[in-house]
């Protein structure tokens, strides 16, 4: 079953703007991860945040986690055309990763 | 460094024909292995995962099966394909239940 749900389903922004997407999940987690998928390709891991962390940064990416609300957000700052992709959150327990349906981000040049 | 190979990249098969998709991992030992399916414009559905040779866990009942004959080899199979088996199949591996590394996927079209 799919644990996480991303919001919005699609996002269109101008190059240079920030993109924010959210992920909500249902059960307790050990960690939450964000992945990126270019059209027709495999997923690429972006960032992992553990359940005892509240915020994490990696380059132009900022991830927050609120375990009390069972939600996470991914912020991409100063977006570029190359950021156009689908972004997925994934929650992990034991050996399994469950993915949401993703947010499709289009960055207009 | 670790790499994951998945093939073929695309496949067109008639209804009722068998299927065999192969995935191999290099540069690591005893990985957790996964098969996911992605419908067009949708998220990933976990089909099977394996934590060791011969150990397969199935997430959803379906027309597919998986096998792990070697530590770093994961095979997705079907005896008779259905139209509904069409989709984008992704193999992945992870170590310790953390981040997953994906293959490039196989686009399967059943006609």
């Amino acid at each position: 079953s799919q644990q996480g749900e991303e919001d919005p389903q699609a996002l269109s922004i101008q190059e240079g703007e920030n993109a924010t997407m959210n992920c909500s999940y249902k059960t307790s987690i050990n960690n939450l991860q964000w992945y990126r998928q270019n059209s027709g390709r495999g997923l690429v891991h972006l960032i992992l945040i553990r359940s005892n962390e509240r915020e994490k940064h990696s380059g132009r990416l900022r991830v927050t986690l609120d375990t009390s609300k069972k939600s996470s957000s991914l912020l991409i700052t100063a977006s570029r055309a190359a950021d156009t992709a689908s972004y997925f959150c994934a929650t992990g327990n034991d050996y399994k990763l469950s993915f949401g349906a993703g947010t499709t981000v289009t960055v207009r040049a | 460094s670790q790499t994951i190979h998945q093939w073929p990249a695309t496949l067109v098969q008639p209804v009722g024909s068998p299927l065999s998709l192969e995935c191999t991992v290099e540069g690591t030992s005893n990985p957790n292995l996964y098969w996911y399916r992605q419908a067009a414009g949708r998220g990933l559905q976990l089909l099977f995962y394996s934590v060791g040779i011969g150990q397969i866990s199935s997430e959803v009942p379906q027309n597919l099966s998986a096998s792990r004959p070697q530590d770093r080899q994961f095979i997705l199979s079907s005896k008779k394909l259905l139209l509904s088996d069409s989709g984008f199949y992704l193999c992945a591996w992870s170590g310790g239940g953390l981040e997953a590394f994906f293959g490039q996927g196989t686009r399967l079209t059943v006609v």
Side-chain angles (χ1 to χ4, degrees):
Chain A
S1 62
Q2 293 189 335
Q3 162 81 299
E5 301 227 353
E6 292 89 346
D7 171 63
Q9 290 186 332
L11 184 59
S12 181
I13 56 174
Q14 199 71 31
E15 201 167 25
E17 293 180 339
N18 296 341
T20 300
M21 60 211 85
N22 303 296
C23 170
S24 59
Y25 57 92
K26 297 176 181 176
T27 62
S28 62
I29 59 172
N30 296 331
N31 63 79
L32 186 141
Q33 304 175 42
W34 286 91
Y35 288 78
R36 164 198 169 119
Q37 183 183 34
N38 287 83
S39 181
R41 306 299 296 272
L43 278 73
V44 175
H45 180 265
L46 295 176
I47 195 166
L48 178 152
I49 186 165
R50 297 181 189 274
S51 59
N52 61 353
E53 298 176 306
R54 291 297 169 260
E55 187 171 315
K56 202 162 183 178
H57 296 255
S58 177
R60 293 184 295 114
L61 304 179
R62 173 177 169 257
V63 170
T64 63
L65 179 64
D66 187 335
T67 53
S68 67
K69 296 181 179 178
K70 292 187 171 57
S71 68
S72 173
S73 68
L74 170 67
L75 168 67
I76 305 173
T77 60
S79 63
R80 306 166 181 168
D83 293 329
T84 294
S86 293
Y87 294 82
F88 296 86
C89 67
T91 52
N93 278 321
D94 298 325
Y95 303 105
K96 296 193 295 183
L97 273 182
S98 298
F99 288 82
T103 293
T104 299
V105 175
T106 302
V107 181
R108 305 186 305 274
Chain B
S1 63
Q2 302 91 354
T3 56
I4 179 168
H5 303 281
Q6 183 183 345
W7 67 92
T10 60
L11 191 59
V12 179
Q13 291 284 104
V15 169
S17 64
L19 173 74
S20 181
L21 301 180
E22 189 162 344
C23 173
T24 60
V25 180
E26 296 177 357
T28 187
S29 59
N30 197 31
N32 299 324
L33 296 171
Y34 307 86
W35 279 110
Y36 289 89
R37 178 169 59 200
Q38 185 178 30
R42 304 291 300 278
L44 278 69
Q45 179 184 37
L46 179 61
L47 301 177
F48 301 95
Y49 70 96
S50 171
V51 299
I53 296 175
Q55 300 178 59
I56 309 294
S57 295
S58 174
E59 285 296 292
V60 292
Q62 60 210 317
N63 186 40
L64 302 168
S65 62
S67 62
R68 184 171 178 173
Q70 299 180 44
D71 181 44
R72 290 170 289 178
Q73 183 184 29
F74 206 24
I75 298 172
L76 183 69
S77 304
S78 174
K79 292 181 179 178
K80 290 185 178 182
L81 284 169
L82 306 172
L83 287 174
S84 57
D85 291 324
S86 293
F88 191 52
Y89 289 83
L90 288 158
C91 179
W93 75 271
S94 73
L98 298 179
E99 65 181 279
F101 300 90
F102 283 81
Q104 290 303 299
T106 296
R107 175 79 56 196
L108 172 66
T109 304
V110 182
V111 296

